[in-house]
Amino acid sequence: MTPWRTSLRGFTFIELMVTLAIMAVLVTVATPMAQLTEQRHKEHLLRMALAQIRQALDAYKRASDQGRIATRLGESGYPKTLSALVEGVDDQRSPTRQKLYFLRRLPADPMVADATAKPEDSWGRRSYASPPDDPGEGDDVFDVYSTSQRLGLNGVAYSQW
């Protein structure tokens, strides 16, 4: 028989410390995983944006080669700006000069830190006349690339994608 029969409720200090230690370990493991997931998501958006813009550039060139877009002698047939893909150009084969549109909207580079920049200004542009190993701007837009200098999860710089 125990003369003092008390029922204690609550947690001991040790139990609270063990619980906090377990939670700290879980947060330490979860944070890098969340960052990795976010980077994968941005890389996926970058791949999709590059594919959309490059398909639109190719469609513009095909339309130019078919004579649907007015070009001058010596021009490459690629658009002069990225905004031409969204704003459209007059269809030279259409009797009413309807516009040809190649993109609904221009996606922004997801790797650029400045979210207030215009989507057109977030991309690096390569002209048709510039070499692939040293892309530079010129009279037209032959290709686009990310201006981020960070490395992707695959070890390749985003500017090389």
Side-chain angles (χ1 to χ4, degrees):
M1 284 192 161
T2 51
W4 304 93
R5 182 119 185 141
T6 60
S7 62
L8 298 175
R9 293 186 182 170
F11 298 104
T12 66
F13 181 71
I14 300 285
E15 290 172 330
L16 288 174
M17 293 306 290
V18 169
T19 303
L20 286 175
I22 291 171
M23 289 177 64
V25 168
L26 290 175
V27 167
T28 304
V29 170
T31 301
M33 293 300 288
Q35 291 171 342
L36 181 66
T37 301
E38 181 181 351
Q39 186 173 358
R40 280 189 182 146
H41 177 68
K42 283 186 175 183
E43 286 185 1
H44 176 71
L45 292 176
L46 177 62
R47 280 189 205 96
M48 287 178 45
L50 287 170
Q52 285 178 342
I53 295 171
R54 288 172 175 161
Q55 286 173 357
L57 289 170
D58 292 342
Y60 189 102
K61 174 66 171 153
R62 275 192 304 278
S64 175
D65 291 346
Q66 295 168 355
R68 297 182 74 183
I69 299 173
T71 56
R72 294 187 180 135
L73 188 62
E75 290 182 340
S76 66
Y78 286 97
K80 296 195 181 307
T81 63
L82 287 173
S83 60
L85 300 172
V86 177
E87 295 167 0
V89 292
D90 292 335
D91 185 353
Q92 299 299 308
R93 290 191 177 175
S94 171
T96 59
R97 294 287 192 248
Q98 290 181 332
K99 287 203 174 261
L100 292 172
Y101 298 99
F102 301 95
L103 283 175
R104 289 190 178 109
R105 68 172 187 83
L106 186 64
D109 182 353
M111 298 303 171
V112 172
D114 185 11
T116 61
K118 292 181 185 177
E120 183 175 351
D121 297 334
S122 67
W123 297 103
R125 293 171 289 284
R126 175 183 166 211
S127 72
Y128 184 74
S130 70
D133 56 345
D134 186 26
E137 294 187 31
D139 296 333
D140 56 13
V141 181
F142 172 69
D143 195 12
V144 293
Y145 56 91
S146 177
T147 56
S148 173
Q149 297 303 316
R150 293 180 27 208
L151 289 179
L153 292 174
N154 60 0
V156 178
Y158 293 128
S159 60
Q160 299 296 315
W161 286 25

